[in-house]
Amino acid sequence: MRFESVRAVEILDSRSRPTLAVTLAPAGGPPVRAGVPSGASTGTREAVERRDGDPARYGGKGVLGAVGAVNGEIADALTAGEFTDLAAVDQTLIDLDGTPTKSRLGANAIVGVSMAAARAFAQAAGLPLWRYLTPEGATPRLPVPHFNVLNGGAHAPNRLDFQEFMIAPVGAPSLAEAVRAGAEVYAALRRRLTDRGLATGLGDEGGFAPEIDAPEDVLAVIVEAIGDAGYTPGKGGVAIALDPAASEFYREGAYHVAGQVLSTDNMIARYEEIATRFPVWSIEDGLAESDWDGWARLRERLGERVQLVGDDILVTNPTIVADAIGRNVATAALIKVNQVGSVTETLDTMRLCRQAGWAQMVSHRSGETEDTFIADLAVGTGCGQLKTGAPARGERVAKYNRLIEIEAGDTLPYGLG
Ligand code: PGA
Ligand code: ZN
């Protein structure tokens, strides 16, 4: 593979902040493009997103430096060489950057080039992206979509501490029927909230953002909405998944939830009670990224009943995930390409999880573009789970629609696997 040109421009993400669009022109083929996502409740060990810090532009959030890195150093390196595969491109980018966190060129610059390069190799091989991303020994599968229907935490201006309440149509017979269930429950939830006089404005990921304090009250109304829409709450129908994003409400060694101050063990007991009362099948970042001992106890207490997903604690980093597998602190990893900063490293992390029997949930970021890369990543790796927001807002729906199109074009199994 040779590249004739590599170009980035500063565009807007779904939160109206600047991000990068990268276009690669592979020799002998049409150009390919990627849009770079950006998080709000980020883990401290994520690859470093490069921002200009110039207060005169976008409140310091401009990405002209990262754009310059793509159009300068990265373009020079990629147009000068020949590459056998994506791993070779990613290694070139990592070596060129030279830092452990991709802070010099910017992880946002590198990940955009890496995603676009994956598309270039898929195109050259005559394969859809998802099939190019299928690792040796893995079976492609349509993932269970996890629709984030109610937003709090760093993603909404309400007083709800838990960040994400997701509905997962685990029992749906197909991806298209799962999307339908998600949309129907979302509509039923809007009616329930309206009936109670609660606001139905949306948070960053398209879920409603009403003023409700206690997570249990949110869960109760979601269970009602699942029933209203004609589905059975639970893994046989529509189950619930939580991402409290607990690092955001962990202060001075305690968890602050709806006005209560909870120790780690009290927080774990709260989750046990939640999992008993409600059809919650998965909890992501139930505890803070610094609370590794707490995570080990959480897994002991709940790991058999509930999937325990690490996001901020693992940051899709293969070294950290290997450590976490050895220390038994979770049962699944959230997978965000921009958290580690390249597609190859993302696939490495997913392979480590598969080998250890850990589940994986591919994820969007709260700041997104219309790029649908993660839909193909979830299908190709066959990991069985994707979260990409509510069944609303174009940048979220684009990913679900991409899944529908993949299902329509190929015979693939649907479900957790
Ligand atoms: P972020 O949130 O993209 O704002 O980091 C998503 C998540 O916590 O899963
Ligand atoms: Zn999370």
Side-chain angles (χ1 to χ4, degrees):
M1 168 80 63
R2 287 190 308 102
F3 297 103
E4 279 166 2
S5 69
V6 181
R7 256 190 70 72
V9 289
E10 185 183 61
I11 61 166
L12 290 183
D13 73 14
S14 56
R15 240 189 321 241
S16 200
R17 292 182 189 156
T19 188
L20 293 89
V22 174
T23 305
L24 295 184
V32 287
R33 197 179 163 279
V36 176
S38 172
S41 64
T42 49
T44 54
R45 298 210 273 175
E46 290 194 22
V48 174
E49 184 178 76
R50 180 169 167 195
R51 299 263 177 203
D52 299 335
D54 169 6
R57 293 188 75 252
Y58 290 112
K61 296 205 179 294
V63 294
L64 294 181
V67 165
V70 174
N71 294 339
E73 277 187 69
I74 291 177
D76 289 347
L78 290 200
T79 53
E82 255 191 64
F83 300 91
T84 49
D85 56 13
L86 179 62
V89 172
D90 286 344
Q91 196 56 54
T92 299
L93 297 170
I94 290 164
D95 292 345
L96 185 66
D97 173 77
T99 71
T101 54
K102 303 184 176 64
S103 60
R104 193 179 74 79
L105 297 171
N108 43 351
I110 291 172
V111 80
V113 175
S114 177
M115 290 160 68
R119 287 200 166 100
F121 282 103
Q123 178 176 279
L127 296 172
L129 180 60
W130 59 269
R131 204 176 274 289
Y132 176 73
L133 294 173
T134 303
E136 187 112 355
T139 311
R141 143 181 306 278
L142 290 150
V144 173
H146 285 63
F147 299 101
N148 182 8
V149 293
L150 207 134
N151 297 181
H155 294 168
N158 59 3
R159 52 180 192 255
L160 182 63
D161 299 301
F162 282 18
Q163 180 178 281
E164 301 173 22
F165 294 78
M166 292 170 273
I167 50 169
V170 179
S174 67
L175 182 278
E177 288 300 307
V179 169
R180 179 184 150 207
E184 290 177 354
V185 173
Y186 184 72
L189 181 59
R190 180 191 277 117
R191 284 192 295 274
R192 281 273 173 187
L193 296 173
T194 303
D195 288 351
R196 289 204 197 173
L198 291 163
T200 53
L202 305 184
D204 288 354
E205 298 188 348
F208 303 115
E211 289 294 353
I212 302 179
D213 287 297
E216 290 82 356
D217 293 341
V218 174
L219 288 163
V221 71
I222 291 174
V223 169
E224 289 168 357
I226 292 170
D228 290 350
Y231 296 93
T232 310
K235 275 182 101 173
V238 178
I240 296 176
L242 294 176
D243 178 8
S247 300
E248 300 284 324
F249 53 82
Y250 185 65
R251 291 188 293 278
E252 286 139 24
Y255 294 90
H256 297 250
V257 180
Q260 286 177 280
V261 182
L262 304 172
S263 67
T264 297
D265 289 313
N266 287 338
M267 195 70 231
I268 293 171
R270 181 92 171 243
Y271 290 130
E272 269 185 305
E273 200 189 306
I274 283 176
T276 304
R277 281 178 61 197
F278 301 100
V280 170
W281 95 274
S282 176
I283 301 175
E284 173 188 333
D285 281 4
L287 297 175
E289 63 169 294
S290 57
D291 193 1
W292 280 65
D293 294 340
W295 272 90
R297 295 204 295 284
L298 176 66
R299 174 168 165 160
E300 260 169 46
R301 292 267 290 274
L302 263 181
E304 300 290 323
R305 291 165 62 191
V306 179
Q307 170 175 270
L308 300 170
V309 188
D311 173 12
D312 288 357
I313 187 174
L314 304 177
V315 293
T316 317
N317 182 303
T319 309
I320 299 172
V321 167
D323 187 17
I325 288 169
R327 289 163 66 177
N328 256 345
V329 297
T331 65
L334 200 74
I335 302 295
K336 293 167 165 169
V337 182
N338 82 322
Q339 250 179 351
V340 64
S342 76
V343 176
T344 300
E345 289 162 291
T346 302
L347 294 171
D348 287 347
T349 295
M350 296 181 83
R351 181 175 24 92
L352 285 176
C353 289
R354 269 198 312 281
Q355 287 166 350
W358 277 32
Q360 307 124 64
M361 185 189 290
V362 170
S363 171
H364 65 160
R365 299 309 302 249
S366 49
E368 269 293 335
T369 73
E370 68 283 8
D371 191 307
T372 59
F373 188 93
I374 56 169
D376 284 72
L377 178 64
V379 172
T381 56
C383 68
Q385 305 179 43
L386 173 69
K387 72 165 194 176
T388 183
R393 295 183 54 139
E395 77 283 1
R396 315 294 151 182
V397 168
K399 281 74 160 170
Y400 296 124
N401 287 345
R402 171 70 183 147
L403 294 179
I404 291 174
E405 289 188 359
I406 293 173
E407 182 175 63
D410 273 272
T411 311
L412 293 173
Y414 163 79
L416 294 176

